[in-house]
Structure formats: structure tokens, C-alpha cells
């Protein structure tokens, strides 16, 4: 969080001085040839000069870099203000007015400081790209097939080696048990022999005493009786014999899971089929089930590896990775409906009962607050446009547009109840009423064009049920159709769509689509399954 002192420093206006008249008034221009800032008045003179009339003079925000020093862009919301502050929490550039209005409590840096870091990261990415380009250029399908076969042969040898090792270990364990049994048997035989010898000795000695007693005459009877009285207790037959404890063998149960872990498992990539789609191919990166027979209402990708999900009848949000592992679960006291990320720090949510509230979840402390109350309207879907405004569809033909403070700045009427919406980078809004899809202008609500099921192969989709929409950075609109097991792709400014999927992909009843930062398409389905698709050329 920025301190009050640092905020005051950040709010000090950045001024430019005209290189020709030293004025600081309306210095909005930059000569890329002279590498100078100029004001409005001097720009005219500069443009008429004999030596400078052909120079390239542009707005300061569009200037070429002055040596190693970057030039910030002009703010789209506040013309004339430069985006010279970087919000670390939201990962965006902004002007000082934006900063003071909506980001005052966030961590921040000066534009120049963050620019050098981003420049270094960009260089690292470019190095990685170059290395991968070289790698892919050297690959051929022939070599790939040969490598695959060699890999299979190596793994086959490893499996047999591991099997032999496990068999050998089992034989060793069994042999050890058998050897121990033999040892116990020998030990017991020795003890039994000693006991028998002792008993036989007792029999001999008692037989001798008996014979002596039998031959005793009258004169020695008293003496023999005294001797036997002393000797017989030494042969007590009431002593309880201690029998050896019999050993037992407890057979182990065969644990196939444990044996599989011991032997090893085969890991391989998902098999997929290629299909043409808008000059792209489709590859399924992963498929997983979050919850059985509980439909995915909304998929909200965080990056190319993680996405937040809202699930039907579930009081909370779930963060999953691309492999389907649940990374985090946030419990709520209501059932969320549609969700939208605000930067990387917050999530805006509408509720399943279509209340008048739009709630905000802070991912830092997992606290939920009321972002806006749009009564008398009831909130349905939610999307954020390029100006960081929050567009909320309602149970009426009206949509409300909120600023970052949650204040309603305007209303847009589209002529139908727009159940599902998504904002395009062009400033337009895609709206669906679960039958048709309209593209309307943001400000006036004017219908630009309508998609009624036309495909680019000349066919037309009949009855259809489009659900939660999404778009990529090229403004291609992705429309899931729950009844046709299909996702349609509507290119920008086009009324003809392309089918993204075929039966080989096995997507059943798609209900929600989200596009991540790398263009991967996260498709949530009615049965709780999520498919992650990549479009590649």
C-alpha cells in the first residue's frame, strides 16, 4: 500500500517544457526527428520551417523513445494526462487521476522503474521464443516418429527390467520367510530331543528306585522309606509342561495400486484430433471433472494454467489448474452466479438468486464486500470493458454500467433481456438471450448486427441454446450451445460463425466459455466436466 507521503509525490503533475520557447503550457507534441518536445504554438512554426516542415511530429504519447528513456502513453479516460504510474496490484499503467480515484491504497511504482523490469522480462521472453523457433525448425515428422519409437522401446525395456526386479524382490522375501520356517523347525527339533532325553532319564531312575524298593527286606524298610520320601519330590509329575508357541503365517493382501506404484505408470499426452477453425487448429490440452452432474456456470481464467469456477448449487468459488487439481476453495454465504476478474486481486460476482447486489471478493484476505447495489434492477451476468467499467446485465432489457467505485454511470438498453454478456475490445457488447446473439454498441445500445445461426459453410443452425459467452483478444466471440454440444466462433464484425468442436472432442452440453491470456478456451459443461482447448496454426 502506498504511504500518504509517496501518494503526494505521485500526484505531483508531470510537466514537459517546449524546446523552442521554454513554455510549459500545452506541450503536447514531440518531433521524432529533432527529439524535442514542442507546444501547440511552436508546432505550427515547426511545421512551416524550411528544414523542419517534413519532420515527423506526433503526440507525446506516440513518440519514439528518447534514447533509453521510455515515453508513457496518454490516458484514454483523461486526455492530456500521461500514464506514468504503474499499479503493482492490478498490473496496469494509469495516469495520476486514475491512481488517485481508484488505486490510492494499492502498491505502485513510477512508470520508468517498472518499464526497465518489463523490458528485461520481454528480452527474456524473446530469447526463449528464439530458442523455441530454432527448436521447431529443426524438428521433422520423420525424426519425431523415430524418436517416439526409440522412446517406446526404451520404456518397454524399463518395464521388463522393473518387472524382473520386483519378481526378484518377491522371491527374495518369500525365500527369507521359508528359511526362517526351516530354522524354527530345526530349533524345535533340538529342544524336543532334549526334552525326550530328560524324560527317558527320569524313567530309568524311577525304574531303578522301584526295583530297589521291591527287593527291600524287613530290616531296610525304614531306611528305604526315608530315602523315597526325599527322592520322589524330585520327580514331580504335577509340573505343567510349557509347550512351544506355534508360529503362524499371516498372508498379505495383493494391493494393485501399491504394485502399480512400485512397477511404475505410463504418462502420455492427451490424444487429439485436428480440425480447421478460423485458420486455426484445435488441440485439447486437458479434460477433467470437478464435480459429478453439477454444471459449471462460469469459467474465469486467471492465466494460461488456472481458472476460477462457479458451480451450480455450490456456495463458493473453486480455483483449479489445467490438470483439474483444486488449488483453492473460497466458501461464501451465497451461491455465486457469474464472475469476472478485476486485475489479479479481486473477483466481482452476481448471485444465483439474481439479487440487486454485485459483490466483490478480495483474494488477498478472502473478504466479501458489496461492490454495488443496482436496484431496482436484478443483476445477472457481468463483464468488464476496456475502460475498466463494469457492465452488468439484468432481468430486464436494460444493462447498467458501473465505474470502479461501483457507481452507476449510465444505462444501456438492447431491446431484449440479455441474459449473458461479454465486452469486446472494440467497445461493443455481445448479448445473448439464450436464443439469439446480438452485437450492440456500448454507449447507445444500437444493434450493430445479429447472429441468427448462420455458419460459414452455408448451413444454418436450427434451434440453439447459447449460454455464457466469451471473447479473445482478436474479438472472436465464443458461443457455447448446450443443446448442440458445440461452441461456435463468431469472427469480429461477422454474421457467419464456425464450429469449434466435432464429435471427436467429446464435449457434452457446454454451458460456459472462458478464454485465458494465451488464447486457450476453457469450456465448462453441464455434467461438471471442463475441457481446455488450444487454437494453433
Amino acid at each position: 500500500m502506498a504511504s500518504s507521503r509517496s501518494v503526494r509525490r505521485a500526484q505531483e503533475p508531470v510537466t514537459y517544457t517546449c524546446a523552442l520557447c521554454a513554455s510549459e503550457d500545452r506541450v503536447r507534441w514531440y518531433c521524432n526527428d529533432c527529439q524535442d518536445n514542442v507546444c501547440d504554438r511552436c508546432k505550427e512554426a515547426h511545421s512551416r520551417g524550411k528544414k523542419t516542415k517534413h519532420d515527423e511530429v506526433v503526440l507525446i504519447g506516440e513518440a519514439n523513445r528518447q534514447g533509453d528513456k521510455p515515453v508513457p502513453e496518454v490516458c484514454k479516460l483523461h486526455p492530456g494526462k500521461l500514464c506514468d504510474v504503474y499499479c503493482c496490484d492490478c498490473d496496469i499503467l494509469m495516469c495520476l487521476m486514475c491512481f488517485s480515484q481508484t488505486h490510492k491504497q494499492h502498491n505502485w511504482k513510477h512508470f520508468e522503474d517498472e518499464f526497465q523490469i518489463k523490458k528485461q522480462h520481454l528480452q527474456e521472453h524473446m530469447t526463449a521464443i528464439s530458442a523455441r523457433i530454432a527448436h521447431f525448425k529443426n524438428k521433422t515428422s520423420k525424426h519425431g516418429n523415430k524418436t517416439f519409437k526409440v522412446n517406446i522401446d526404451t520404456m518397454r525395456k524399463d518395464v521388463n527390467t522393473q518387472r524382473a526386479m520386483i519378481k526378484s524382490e518377491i522371491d527374495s522375501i518369500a525365500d527369507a520367510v521359508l528359511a526362517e520356517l526351516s530354522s524354527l523347525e530345526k530349533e524345535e527339533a533340538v529342544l524336543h530331543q532334549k526334552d525326550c532325553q530328560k524324560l527317558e532319564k527320569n524313567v530309568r531312575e524311577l525304574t531303578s528306585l522301584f526295583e530297589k524298593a521291591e527287593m527291600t527286606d524287613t530290616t531296610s524298610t525304614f531306611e528305604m522309606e526315608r530315602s523315597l520320601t526325599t527322592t520322589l519330590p524330585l520327580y514331580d509329575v504335577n509340573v505343567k509342561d510349557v509347550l512351544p508357541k506355534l508360529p503362524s503365517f499371516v498372508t498379505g493382501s495383493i494391493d494393485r495400486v501399491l504394485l502399480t506404484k512400485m512397477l511404475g505408470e505410463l504418462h502420455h499426452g492427451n490424444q487429439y484430433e485436428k480440425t480447421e477453425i478460423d485458420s486455426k487448429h484445435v488441440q485439447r490440452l486437458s479434460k477433467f471433472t470437478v464435480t459429478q452432474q453439477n454444471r459449471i456456470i462460469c469459467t474465469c481464467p486467471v492465466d494460461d494454467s488456472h481458472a476460477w469456477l462457479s458451480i451450480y448449487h455450490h456456495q463458493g468459488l473453486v480455483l483449479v489448474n489445467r490438470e483439474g487439481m483444486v488449488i483453492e476453495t473460497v466458501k461464501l454465504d451465497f451461491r455465486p452466479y457469474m464472475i469476472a476478474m478485476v486485475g489479479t486481486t479481486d473477483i466481482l460476482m452476481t448471485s444465483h438468486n439474481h439479487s440487486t447486489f454485485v459483490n466483490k471478493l478480495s483474494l488477498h484476505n478472502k473478504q466479501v464486500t458489496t461492490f454495488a447495489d443496482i436496484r431496482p434492477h436484478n443483476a445477472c451476468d457481468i463483464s468488464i470493458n476496456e475502460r475498466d467499467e463494469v457492465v452488468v446485465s439484468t432481468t430486464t432489457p436494460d444493462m447498467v454500467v458501473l465505474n470502479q467505485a461501483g457507481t452507476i454511470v449510465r444505462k444501456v438498453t438492447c431491446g431484449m433481456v440479455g441474459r449473458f454478456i461479454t465486452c469486446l475490445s472494440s467497445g461493443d457488447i455481445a448479448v445473448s438471450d439464450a436464443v439469439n446473439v446480438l452485437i450492440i454498441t456500448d454507449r447507445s445500445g444500437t444493434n450493430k448486427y445479429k447472429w441468427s445461426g448462420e455458419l460459414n459453410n452455408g448451413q444454418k443452425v436450427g434451434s440453439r441454446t447459447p449460454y455464457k459467452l466469451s471473447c479473445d483478444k482478436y474479438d472472436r466471440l465464443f458461443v457455447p450451445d448446450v443443446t448442440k454440444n458445440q461452441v461456435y466462433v463468431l469472427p469480429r464484425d461477422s454474421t457467419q460463425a464456425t464450429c469449434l468442436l466435432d464429435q471427436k472432442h467429446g464435449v457434452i452440453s457446454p454451458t460456459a466459455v472462458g478464454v485465458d491470456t494465451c488464447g486457450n478456451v476453457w469450456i465448462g459443461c453441464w455434467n461438471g466436466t471442463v475441457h481446455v482447448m488450444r487454437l494453433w496454426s
Side-chain angles (χ1 to χ4, degrees):
M1 185 185 299
S3 66
S4 58
R5 180 179 178 184
S6 59
V7 169
R8 287 196 299 273
R9 287 182 54 201
Q11 291 176 333
E12 294 176 0
V14 177
T15 59
Y16 291 91
T17 303
C18 178
L20 301 182
C21 68
S23 172
E24 295 182 354
D25 183 35
R26 301 185 68 78
V27 182
R28 299 186 302 163
W29 305 95
Y30 183 79
C31 178
N32 285 330
D33 297 286
C34 300
Q35 298 281 290
D36 286 331
N37 300 324
V38 292
C39 64
D40 287 353
R41 184 177 58 184
C42 294
K43 172 182 177 292
E44 298 299 327
H46 191 83
S47 301
R48 292 194 301 270
K50 186 176 294 184
K51 295 182 179 181
T52 59
K53 63 181 179 179
H54 297 298
D55 285 1
E56 182 182 19
V57 179
V58 298
L59 290 169
I60 285 181
E62 301 172 0
N64 292 336
R65 292 173 181 162
Q66 305 172 4
D68 291 332
K69 184 178 180 181
V71 179
E73 297 180 354
V74 175
C75 180
K76 296 179 181 179
L77 296 179
H78 306 101
K81 300 294 182 180
L82 298 179
C83 295
D84 49 9
V85 175
Y86 171 76
C87 179
C88 302
D89 293 338
C90 301
D91 190 23
I92 57 173
L93 291 172
M94 69 197 76
C95 72
L96 294 175
M97 290 185 66
C98 292
F99 174 76
S100 61
Q101 290 175 358
T102 59
H103 302 265
K104 188 179 296 184
Q105 302 301 317
H106 292 183
N107 296 307
W108 65 278
K109 292 181 182 178
H110 286 293
F111 166 77
E112 294 84 355
D113 297 336
E114 184 62 22
F115 178 82
Q116 297 303 323
I117 297 174
K118 296 296 186 186
K119 185 177 180 182
Q120 177 64 30
H121 290 170
L122 179 62
Q123 188 61 44
E124 293 171 358
H125 290 320
M126 291 174 65
T127 301
I129 290 172
S130 298
R132 295 183 186 188
I133 289 174
H135 170 75
F136 289 126
K137 282 185 176 180
N138 291 330
K139 286 182 63 176
T140 63
S141 59
K142 181 178 179 180
H143 290 159
N145 184 57
K146 181 179 179 181
T147 302
F148 189 85
K149 187 178 184 305
V150 170
N151 185 53
I152 292 294
D153 291 340
T154 301
M155 287 190 294
R156 188 176 285 115
K157 292 179 181 178
D158 291 341
V159 170
N160 287 324
T161 300
Q162 194 74 351
R163 174 166 59 182
M165 289 175 61
I166 293 176
K167 282 184 175 180
S168 175
E169 192 65 28
I170 291 175
D171 289 341
S172 175
I173 294 172
D175 289 343
V177 175
L178 293 174
E180 188 175 0
L181 289 174
S182 298
S183 176
L184 288 173
E185 185 179 27
K186 290 179 180 179
E187 182 181 349
E188 176 57 25
V190 172
L191 293 175
H192 179 70
Q193 185 179 7
K194 289 181 178 180
D195 289 342
C196 289
Q197 290 173 350
K198 184 177 180 181
L199 293 173
E200 290 172 355
K201 179 183 176 183
N202 289 341
V203 171
R204 288 195 303 270
E205 291 175 349
L206 288 171
T207 300
S208 176
L209 286 174
F210 183 81
E211 291 174 349
K212 289 180 180 180
E214 193 175 38
M215 296 174 62
T216 301
D217 55 17
T218 304
T219 56
S220 59
T221 297
F222 290 95
E223 183 181 350
M224 178 57 69
E225 192 275 333
R226 286 194 301 269
S227 176
L228 292 177
T229 301
T230 306
T231 307
L232 281 177
L234 299 177
Y235 300 93
D236 186 6
V237 295
N238 295 320
V239 176
K240 186 176 181 179
D241 293 332
V242 179
L243 297 176
K245 186 177 181 179
L246 297 178
S248 63
F249 178 69
V250 181
T251 58
S253 61
I254 298 177
D255 190 334
R256 185 177 180 85
V257 174
L258 181 59
L259 285 174
T260 300
K261 290 181 179 179
M262 294 168 61
L263 179 68
E265 295 179 281
L266 179 63
H267 290 177
H268 55 84
N270 291 302
Q271 299 300 315
Y272 60 90
E273 297 290 337
K274 296 178 182 178
T275 179
E276 292 292 335
I277 169 66
D278 194 19
S279 301
K280 299 284 183 180
H281 295 294
V282 178
Q283 171 190 354
R284 187 171 70 190
L285 299 179
S286 64
K287 171 188 175 183
F288 55 88
T289 299
V290 181
T291 173
Q292 292 287 348
Q293 301 302 322
N294 216 350
R295 75 177 156 100
I296 308 298
I297 299 177
C298 188
T299 62
C300 187
V302 179
D303 49 35
D304 64 336
S305 300
H306 301 83
W308 285 99
L309 307 177
S310 65
I311 303 171
Y312 187 64
H313 280 327
H314 181 63
Q315 285 195 197
L317 298 178
V318 178
L319 178 66
V320 297
N321 63 14
R322 210 167 67 187
E323 287 68 45
M325 180 181 297
V326 176
I327 305 300
E328 186 176 358
T329 299
V330 178
K331 294 183 178 180
L332 305 170
D333 57 3
F334 64 93
R335 288 183 291 161
Y337 187 55
M338 294 299 169
I339 58 178
M341 290 290 298
V342 182
T344 59
T345 59
D346 302 308
I347 298 179
L348 296 180
M349 305 171 287
T350 60
S351 61
H352 194 270
N353 62 356
H354 299 323
S355 72
T356 63
F357 296 105
V358 177
N359 297 302
K360 181 166 75 170
L361 168 66
S362 173
L363 296 177
H364 173 67
N365 55 17
K366 304 302 182 294
Q367 296 296 314
V368 177
T369 57
T370 299
F371 175 73
D373 185 350
I374 64 170
R375 68 182 63 194
H377 298 291
N378 298 95
C380 290
D381 199 357
I382 187 169
S383 184
I384 301 176
N385 64 21
E386 288 294 302
R387 296 186 294 274
D388 289 333
E389 295 174 325
V390 180
V391 182
V392 183
S393 67
T394 70
T395 53
T396 72
D398 292 332
M399 290 179 286
V400 296
V401 182
L402 315 171
N403 60 21
Q404 284 293 311
T407 304
I408 298 178
V409 294
R410 64 181 179 279
K411 294 182 181 179
V412 180
T413 301
C414 64
M416 68 179 188
V417 179
R419 183 177 177 186
F420 304 106
I421 62 172
T422 189
C423 294
L424 308 179
S425 62
S426 62
D428 297 332
I429 305 174
V431 185
S432 169
D433 63 353
V435 176
N436 297 306
V437 176
L438 291 178
I439 307 298
I440 68 171
T441 56
D442 184 356
R443 291 283 173 176
S444 63
T446 304
N447 292 349
K448 296 184 66 175
Y449 58 91
K450 174 181 178 181
W451 181 67
S452 301
E454 296 83 3
L455 301 178
N456 62 356
N457 59 7
Q459 299 179 357
K460 183 174 181 178
V461 182
S463 60
R464 56 199 175 278
T465 311
Y467 266 62
K468 174 57 182 173
L469 315 169
S470 187
C471 66
D472 62 9
K473 62 182 179 180
Y474 306 108
D475 271 358
R476 290 184 299 187
L477 185 63
F478 294 82
V479 184
D481 187 342
V482 70
T483 57
K484 299 292 185 181
N485 302 326
Q486 183 57 260
V487 174
Y488 308 109
V489 184
L490 193 63
R492 182 172 181 172
D493 298 328
S494 174
T495 58
Q496 293 184 334
T498 304
C499 293
L500 176 70
L501 307 173
D502 57 29
Q503 293 180 349
K504 297 176 183 178
H505 291 106
V507 177
I508 306 299
S509 301
T511 54
V513 175
V515 183
D516 65 28
T517 53
C518 290
N520 302 324
V521 184
W522 297 62
I523 305 172
C525 299
W526 193 280
N527 61 1
T529 300
V530 176
H531 302 257
V532 184
M533 303 290 187
R534 172 177 292 170
L535 308 185
W536 53 288
S537 53

